[in-house]
């Protein structure tokens, strides 16, 4: 069996953030939304059904954890999250991954989905590093 590798497509718009018990967690480099991507660290996964029942339960817990973290990011950015969007689309990148996106009624795309809508607004290297460092210091990782 091959070992877990992150699909290179994720490198274009996200950065590694944390390693949790099941998932490799990435921060989407789009300051418009507090947005995390969870990738279960198992090779060859495409669907939730590819996980064992125990892994699916662990993934659910990590999705909830990511939701808390998205809310924390929203607060740090001065835009508290009002609603969480959670999705496993996989239409562009087949590797199993879960998006956890913090939304606000005034976020510019509300109530439309965020995928493929508008150009991302990158954090910038220094802002991104400060955000990730602050989250790690607060125990998010």
């Amino acid at each position: 069996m091959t070992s877990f590798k992150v699909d290179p497509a994720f490198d274009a718009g996200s950065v590694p953030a944390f390693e949790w018990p099941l998932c490799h967690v990435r921060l989407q480099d789009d300051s418009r939304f507090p947005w995390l991507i969870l990738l279960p660290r198992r090779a060859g996964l495409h669907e939730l059904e590819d996980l064992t029942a125990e892994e699916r339960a662990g993934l659910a817990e990590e999705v909830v954890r990511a939701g808390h973290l998205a809310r924390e990011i929203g607060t740090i950015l001065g835009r508290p999250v009002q609603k969480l969007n959670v999705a496993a689309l996989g239409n562009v990148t087949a590797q199993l991954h879960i998006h956890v996106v913090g939304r606000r009624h005034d976020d510019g795309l509300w109530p439309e989905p965020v995928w493929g809508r508008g150009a991302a607004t990158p954090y910038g290297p220094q802002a991104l590093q400060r955000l990730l460092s602050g989250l790690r210091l607060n125990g998010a990782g």
Side-chain angles (χ1 to χ4, degrees), residues 33-57:
F33 310 101
W35 186 340
L36 297 167
I37 304 168
L38 284 69
L39 294 96
R41 288 190 315 272
R42 304 289 183 272
L45 299 179
H46 296 281
E47 304 292 345
L48 289 170
E49 65 194 29
D50 296 337
L51 295 168
T52 66
E54 183 177 314
E55 289 169 333
R56 285 192 301 271

mmCIF file of all heavy atoms in Angstrom, residues 33-57:
data_model
loop_
_atom_site.group_PDB
_atom_site.id
_atom_site.type_symbol
_atom_site.label_atom_id
_atom_site.label_comp_id
_atom_site.label_asym_id
_atom_site.label_seq_id
_atom_site.Cartn_x
_atom_site.Cartn_y
_atom_site.Cartn_z
ATOM 1 N N PHE A 33 -12.456 34.325 4.169
ATOM 2 C CA PHE A 33 -13.178 33.331 4.966
ATOM 3 C C PHE A 33 -12.226 32.577 5.888
ATOM 4 O O PHE A 33 -11.145 32.185 5.456
ATOM 5 C CB PHE A 33 -13.840 32.285 4.051
ATOM 6 C CG PHE A 33 -14.646 32.859 2.941
ATOM 7 C CD1 PHE A 33 -14.130 32.910 1.653
ATOM 8 C CD2 PHE A 33 -15.915 33.357 3.173
ATOM 9 C CE1 PHE A 33 -14.867 33.450 0.616
ATOM 10 C CE2 PHE A 33 -16.656 33.900 2.134
ATOM 11 C CZ PHE A 33 -16.131 33.948 0.860
ATOM 12 N N PRO A 34 -12.620 32.322 7.135
ATOM 13 C CA PRO A 34 -11.884 31.372 7.973
ATOM 14 C C PRO A 34 -12.155 29.976 7.405
ATOM 15 O O PRO A 34 -13.284 29.496 7.462
ATOM 16 C CB PRO A 34 -12.518 31.534 9.353
ATOM 17 C CG PRO A 34 -13.310 32.802 9.285
ATOM 18 C CD PRO A 34 -13.696 32.981 7.853
ATOM 19 N N TRP A 35 -11.155 29.347 6.811
ATOM 20 C CA TRP A 35 -11.397 28.169 5.982
ATOM 21 C C TRP A 35 -10.306 27.139 6.214
ATOM 22 O O TRP A 35 -9.138 27.391 5.956
ATOM 23 C CB TRP A 35 -11.413 28.623 4.545
ATOM 24 C CG TRP A 35 -11.784 27.658 3.478
ATOM 25 C CD1 TRP A 35 -11.782 26.292 3.531
ATOM 26 C CD2 TRP A 35 -12.206 27.999 2.157
ATOM 27 N NE1 TRP A 35 -12.172 25.781 2.334
ATOM 28 C CE2 TRP A 35 -12.441 26.807 1.466
ATOM 29 C CE3 TRP A 35 -12.385 29.203 1.496
ATOM 30 C CZ2 TRP A 35 -12.865 26.773 0.142
ATOM 31 C CZ3 TRP A 35 -12.803 29.172 0.191
ATOM 32 C CH2 TRP A 35 -13.047 27.978 -0.479
ATOM 33 N N LEU A 36 -10.696 25.988 6.691
ATOM 34 C CA LEU A 36 -9.777 24.879 6.921
ATOM 35 C C LEU A 36 -10.148 23.706 6.025
ATOM 36 O O LEU A 36 -11.324 23.522 5.687
ATOM 37 C CB LEU A 36 -9.818 24.448 8.384
ATOM 38 C CG LEU A 36 -9.368 25.520 9.379
ATOM 39 C CD1 LEU A 36 -9.740 25.128 10.790
ATOM 40 C CD2 LEU A 36 -7.876 25.748 9.269
ATOM 41 N N ILE A 37 -9.147 22.926 5.674
ATOM 42 C CA ILE A 37 -9.352 21.721 4.886
ATOM 43 C C ILE A 37 -8.731 20.561 5.650
ATOM 44 O O ILE A 37 -7.561 20.626 6.045
ATOM 45 C CB ILE A 37 -8.689 21.839 3.497
ATOM 46 C CG1 ILE A 37 -9.210 23.074 2.761
ATOM 47 C CG2 ILE A 37 -8.934 20.574 2.680
ATOM 48 C CD1 ILE A 37 -8.417 23.422 1.527
ATOM 49 N N LEU A 38 -9.513 19.517 5.871
ATOM 50 C CA LEU A 38 -9.047 18.338 6.589
ATOM 51 C C LEU A 38 -8.861 17.194 5.603
ATOM 52 O O LEU A 38 -9.786 16.867 4.845
ATOM 53 C CB LEU A 38 -10.063 17.913 7.656
ATOM 54 C CG LEU A 38 -10.116 18.746 8.930
ATOM 55 C CD1 LEU A 38 -10.680 20.132 8.663
ATOM 56 C CD2 LEU A 38 -10.964 18.040 9.971
ATOM 57 N N LEU A 39 -7.685 16.612 5.606
ATOM 58 C CA LEU A 39 -7.377 15.467 4.746
ATOM 59 C C LEU A 39 -7.013 14.278 5.631
ATOM 60 O O LEU A 39 -5.946 14.295 6.272
ATOM 61 C CB LEU A 39 -6.205 15.769 3.815
ATOM 62 C CG LEU A 39 -6.441 16.841 2.771
ATOM 63 C CD1 LEU A 39 -5.924 18.182 3.230
ATOM 64 C CD2 LEU A 39 -5.804 16.445 1.474
ATOM 65 N N PRO A 40 -7.875 13.265 5.698
ATOM 66 C CA PRO A 40 -7.508 12.078 6.478
ATOM 67 C C PRO A 40 -6.210 11.476 5.927
ATOM 68 O O PRO A 40 -6.062 11.311 4.711
ATOM 69 C CB PRO A 40 -8.690 11.138 6.276
ATOM 70 C CG PRO A 40 -9.836 12.045 5.954
ATOM 71 C CD PRO A 40 -9.215 13.160 5.146
ATOM 72 N N ARG A 41 -5.292 11.171 6.824
ATOM 73 C CA ARG A 41 -3.969 10.675 6.423
ATOM 74 C C ARG A 41 -3.998 9.171 6.172
ATOM 75 O O ARG A 41 -3.360 8.388 6.882
ATOM 76 C CB ARG A 41 -2.928 11.020 7.484
ATOM 77 C CG ARG A 41 -2.560 12.488 7.529
ATOM 78 C CD ARG A 41 -1.354 12.766 8.420
ATOM 79 N NE ARG A 41 -1.393 12.083 9.684
ATOM 80 C CZ ARG A 41 -1.976 12.568 10.791
ATOM 81 N NH1 ARG A 41 -2.554 13.761 10.772
ATOM 82 N NH2 ARG A 41 -1.967 11.881 11.896
ATOM 83 N N ARG A 42 -4.731 8.805 5.154
ATOM 84 C CA ARG A 42 -4.777 7.423 4.675
ATOM 85 C C ARG A 42 -4.639 7.479 3.156
ATOM 86 O O ARG A 42 -5.284 8.301 2.504
ATOM 87 C CB ARG A 42 -6.092 6.733 5.029
ATOM 88 C CG ARG A 42 -6.450 6.721 6.503
ATOM 89 C CD ARG A 42 -5.556 5.777 7.303
ATOM 90 N NE ARG A 42 -5.957 5.714 8.683
ATOM 91 C CZ ARG A 42 -5.534 6.540 9.645
ATOM 92 N NH1 ARG A 42 -4.716 7.537 9.361
ATOM 93 N NH2 ARG A 42 -5.931 6.402 10.887
ATOM 94 N N ALA A 43 -3.830 6.615 2.595
ATOM 95 C CA ALA A 43 -3.598 6.620 1.151
ATOM 96 C C ALA A 43 -4.831 6.107 0.410
ATOM 97 O O ALA A 43 -5.545 5.214 0.887
ATOM 98 C CB ALA A 43 -2.397 5.743 0.813
ATOM 99 N N GLY A 44 -5.081 6.694 -0.760
ATOM 100 C CA GLY A 44 -6.102 6.181 -1.669
ATOM 101 C C GLY A 44 -7.542 6.460 -1.302
ATOM 102 O O GLY A 44 -8.443 5.840 -1.862
ATOM 103 N N LEU A 45 -7.797 7.399 -0.397
ATOM 104 C CA LEU A 45 -9.179 7.687 -0.002
ATOM 105 C C LEU A 45 -9.839 8.637 -0.997
ATOM 106 O O LEU A 45 -9.240 9.623 -1.408
ATOM 107 C CB LEU A 45 -9.218 8.328 1.383
ATOM 108 C CG LEU A 45 -8.673 7.517 2.553
ATOM 109 C CD1 LEU A 45 -8.766 8.339 3.837
ATOM 110 C CD2 LEU A 45 -9.414 6.204 2.705
ATOM 111 N N HIS A 46 -11.094 8.321 -1.336
ATOM 112 C CA HIS A 46 -11.872 9.196 -2.211
ATOM 113 C C HIS A 46 -13.228 9.548 -1.612
ATOM 114 O O HIS A 46 -13.760 10.615 -1.876
ATOM 115 C CB HIS A 46 -12.082 8.545 -3.583
ATOM 116 C CG HIS A 46 -10.798 8.339 -4.324
ATOM 117 N ND1 HIS A 46 -10.165 9.351 -5.001
ATOM 118 C CD2 HIS A 46 -10.018 7.243 -4.467
ATOM 119 C CE1 HIS A 46 -9.055 8.884 -5.534
ATOM 120 N NE2 HIS A 46 -8.930 7.614 -5.222
ATOM 121 N N GLU A 47 -13.795 8.646 -0.846
ATOM 122 C CA GLU A 47 -15.132 8.838 -0.288
ATOM 123 C C GLU A 47 -15.108 8.556 1.211
ATOM 124 O O GLU A 47 -14.240 7.832 1.704
ATOM 125 C CB GLU A 47 -16.140 7.887 -0.958
ATOM 126 C CG GLU A 47 -16.211 7.986 -2.470
ATOM 127 C CD GLU A 47 -16.794 9.299 -2.971
ATOM 128 O OE1 GLU A 47 -17.404 10.037 -2.170
ATOM 129 O OE2 GLU A 47 -16.627 9.580 -4.167
ATOM 130 N N LEU A 48 -16.097 9.100 1.918
ATOM 131 C CA LEU A 48 -16.214 8.822 3.353
ATOM 132 C C LEU A 48 -16.318 7.323 3.619
ATOM 133 O O LEU A 48 -15.805 6.819 4.614
ATOM 134 C CB LEU A 48 -17.436 9.538 3.936
ATOM 135 C CG LEU A 48 -17.311 11.055 4.048
ATOM 136 C CD1 LEU A 48 -18.666 11.669 4.408
ATOM 137 C CD2 LEU A 48 -16.261 11.441 5.062
ATOM 138 N N GLU A 49 -16.967 6.601 2.721
ATOM 139 C CA GLU A 49 -17.138 5.159 2.895
ATOM 140 C C GLU A 49 -15.810 4.401 2.836
ATOM 141 O O GLU A 49 -15.748 3.237 3.229
ATOM 142 C CB GLU A 49 -18.092 4.606 1.836
ATOM 143 C CG GLU A 49 -17.563 4.717 0.429
ATOM 144 C CD GLU A 49 -18.620 4.484 -0.633
ATOM 145 O OE1 GLU A 49 -19.800 4.759 -0.405
ATOM 146 O OE2 GLU A 49 -18.228 4.030 -1.715
ATOM 147 N N ASP A 50 -14.748 5.053 2.358
ATOM 148 C CA ASP A 50 -13.434 4.421 2.330
ATOM 149 C C ASP A 50 -12.786 4.372 3.710
ATOM 150 O O ASP A 50 -11.802 3.658 3.901
ATOM 151 C CB ASP A 50 -12.504 5.170 1.362
ATOM 152 C CG ASP A 50 -12.975 5.103 -0.076
ATOM 153 O OD1 ASP A 50 -13.732 4.171 -0.429
ATOM 154 O OD2 ASP A 50 -12.593 5.997 -0.859
ATOM 155 N N LEU A 51 -13.322 5.132 4.660
ATOM 156 C CA LEU A 51 -12.841 5.111 6.041
ATOM 157 C C LEU A 51 -13.563 4.019 6.817
ATOM 158 O O LEU A 51 -14.716 3.674 6.513
ATOM 159 C CB LEU A 51 -13.107 6.456 6.720
ATOM 160 C CG LEU A 51 -12.368 7.670 6.172
ATOM 161 C CD1 LEU A 51 -12.969 8.956 6.746
ATOM 162 C CD2 LEU A 51 -10.889 7.585 6.481
ATOM 163 N N THR A 52 -12.918 3.515 7.859
ATOM 164 C CA THR A 52 -13.604 2.585 8.753
ATOM 165 C C THR A 52 -14.614 3.368 9.587
ATOM 166 O O THR A 52 -14.560 4.608 9.659
ATOM 167 C CB THR A 52 -12.606 1.901 9.708
ATOM 168 O OG1 THR A 52 -12.062 2.901 10.588
ATOM 169 C CG2 THR A 52 -11.481 1.200 8.947
ATOM 170 N N ALA A 53 -15.509 2.667 10.232
ATOM 171 C CA ALA A 53 -16.493 3.331 11.094
ATOM 172 C C ALA A 53 -15.783 4.130 12.186
ATOM 173 O O ALA A 53 -16.182 5.251 12.508
ATOM 174 C CB ALA A 53 -17.444 2.303 11.705
ATOM 175 N N GLU A 54 -14.720 3.573 12.734
ATOM 176 C CA GLU A 54 -13.961 4.268 13.781
ATOM 177 C C GLU A 54 -13.305 5.533 13.220
ATOM 178 O O GLU A 54 -13.312 6.585 13.864
ATOM 179 C CB GLU A 54 -12.894 3.336 14.357
ATOM 180 C CG GLU A 54 -12.099 3.944 15.497
ATOM 181 C CD GLU A 54 -11.099 2.957 16.081
ATOM 182 O OE1 GLU A 54 -11.473 1.795 16.314
ATOM 183 O OE2 GLU A 54 -9.947 3.376 16.286
ATOM 184 N N GLU A 55 -12.752 5.451 12.015
ATOM 185 C CA GLU A 55 -12.134 6.625 11.401
ATOM 186 C C GLU A 55 -13.180 7.694 11.081
ATOM 187 O O GLU A 55 -12.920 8.883 11.250
ATOM 188 C CB GLU A 55 -11.395 6.222 10.117
ATOM 189 C CG GLU A 55 -10.132 5.424 10.392
ATOM 190 C CD GLU A 55 -9.544 4.803 9.144
ATOM 191 O OE1 GLU A 55 -10.283 4.526 8.170
ATOM 192 O OE2 GLU A 55 -8.314 4.572 9.138
ATOM 193 N N ARG A 56 -14.369 7.277 10.643
ATOM 194 C CA ARG A 56 -15.426 8.257 10.363
ATOM 195 C C ARG A 56 -15.835 8.987 11.635
ATOM 196 O O ARG A 56 -16.076 10.199 11.619
ATOM 197 C CB ARG A 56 -16.636 7.585 9.715
ATOM 198 C CG ARG A 56 -16.413 7.218 8.264
ATOM 199 C CD ARG A 56 -17.687 6.813 7.556
ATOM 200 N NE ARG A 56 -18.373 5.680 8.152
ATOM 201 C CZ ARG A 56 -18.139 4.410 7.824
ATOM 202 N NH1 ARG A 56 -17.238 4.103 6.908
ATOM 203 N NH2 ARG A 56 -18.826 3.447 8.417
ATOM 204 N N ALA A 57 -15.892 8.275 12.745
ATOM 205 C CA ALA A 57 -16.220 8.916 14.019
ATOM 206 C C ALA A 57 -15.124 9.910 14.412
ATOM 207 O O ALA A 57 -15.412 11.019 14.866
ATOM 208 C CB ALA A 57 -16.412 7.862 15.111
#
